[in-house]
């Protein structure tokens, strides 16, 4: 049976991981957090002193994911999207969070002031939404609000309905 590949993207702290794990649990699709994958496989290309984090080796990440993406049925979670091949995803969801809520979430994570401000600006200027629209067909890119627990449930239900319809349309 053919299953869709889904990309969850957005600024750090918008709820991609929470949504992705719950969606995978309910849908049976495989969940992959690119940050965790990179850490496990040491898929890095140096260290960014300014932000205090490793630099992702995007080519190695793509190589690592290629076979799984070809098989289908994968939910990918990452805060960037312009390096993934366009052919991989059937739909892209960009999660969005109000700045005041996002600021508190990132502060709780212990982000330094520069990292905090840059991520808030990223959200204000819709950087990841624009990146997704530039990287994928416009009709497959959708924004979802991610401020409150009720919205999480709404998003899971909306995406689950989309998955069901996609499976029907591609397996008959």
């Amino acid at each position: 049976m053919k299953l869709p590949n889904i990309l969850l993207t957005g600024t750090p702290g918008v709820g991609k991981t929470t949504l992705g794990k719950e969606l995978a649990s309910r849908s049976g699709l495989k969940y992959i957090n690119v940050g965790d994958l990179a850490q496990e496989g040491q898929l890095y290309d140096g260290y960014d002193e300014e932000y205090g984090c490793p630099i992702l080796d995007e080519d190695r990440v793509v190589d690592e994911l290629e076979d799984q993406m070809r098989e289908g049925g994968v939910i990918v979670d990452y805060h960037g999207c312009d390096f993934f091949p366009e052919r991989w995803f059937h739909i892209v969801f960009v999660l969005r969070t109000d700045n005041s809520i996002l600021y508190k979430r990132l502060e709780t994570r212990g982000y330094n002031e520069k990292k905090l401000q840059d991520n808030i600006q990223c959200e204000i200027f819709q950087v990841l939404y624009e990146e997704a629209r530039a990287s994928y067909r416009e009709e497959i890119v959708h924004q979802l609000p991610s401020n409150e627990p009720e919205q999480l449930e709404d998003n899971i239900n909306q995406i689950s309905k989309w998955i069901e319809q996609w499976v029907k349309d591609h397996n008959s």
Side-chain angles (χ1 to χ4, degrees):
M1 179 165 73
K2 278 187 177 174
L3 295 170
N5 289 329
I6 298 170
L7 175 61
L8 300 178
T9 191
T11 307
V14 295
K16 298 177 299 293
T17 301
T18 304
L19 175 62
K21 286 180 176 176
E22 188 59 32
L23 193 58
S25 156
R26 294 191 199 182
S27 68
L29 298 183
K30 181 177 183 175
Y31 170 77
I32 297 175
N33 178 305
V34 172
D36 293 347
L37 178 82
Q39 191 173 10
E40 289 160 15
Q42 290 298 297
L43 308 176
Y44 299 126
D45 191 22
Y47 191 81
D48 187 321
E49 297 295 337
E50 189 176 17
Y51 288 105
C53 62
I55 299 164
L56 193 69
D57 185 330
E58 296 172 349
D59 291 336
R60 286 178 62 207
V61 168
V62 169
D63 291 346
E64 185 73 27
L65 287 173
E66 185 68 54
D67 290 343
Q68 293 177 79
M69 299 308 292
R70 197 176 306 115
E71 286 170 26
V74 180
I75 299 167
V76 173
D77 158 358
Y78 195 59
H79 59 261
C81 65
D82 59 352
F83 66 93
F84 297 122
E86 186 180 358
R87 68 180 184 281
W88 277 7
F89 299 106
H90 300 98
I91 196 159
V92 176
F93 293 103
V94 183
L95 274 61
R96 303 296 310 277
T97 299
D98 291 340
N99 298 325
S100 56
I101 295 168
L102 184 61
Y103 190 91
K104 288 181 187 126
R105 290 180 188 172
L106 295 178
E107 211 173 30
T108 305
R109 291 183 176 191
Y111 279 26
N112 67 39
E113 193 56 32
K114 175 160 181 47
K115 200 169 176 178
L116 254 172
Q117 291 304 324
D118 286 357
N119 278 297
I120 294 298
Q121 275 195 331
C122 185
E123 187 67 5
I124 290 169
F125 294 115
Q126 301 185 34
V127 171
L128 287 156
Y129 177 58
E130 295 303 328
E131 182 179 296
R133 289 184 61 202
S135 302
Y136 303 97
R137 294 185 330 276
E138 202 170 327
E139 64 270 16
I140 72 164
V141 177
H142 305 275
Q143 295 187 79
L144 294 174
S146 182
N147 298 305
E148 304 156 0
E150 300 78 40
Q151 289 173 322
L152 172 64
E153 198 57 41
D154 290 346
N155 291 340
I156 291 167
N157 291 334
Q158 185 179 337
I159 297 170
S160 295
K161 283 180 186 150
W162 179 87
I163 293 169
E164 279 175 40
Q165 190 59 54
W166 191 96
V167 169
K168 274 184 199 164
D169 293 348
H170 294 85
N171 289 287
S172 47

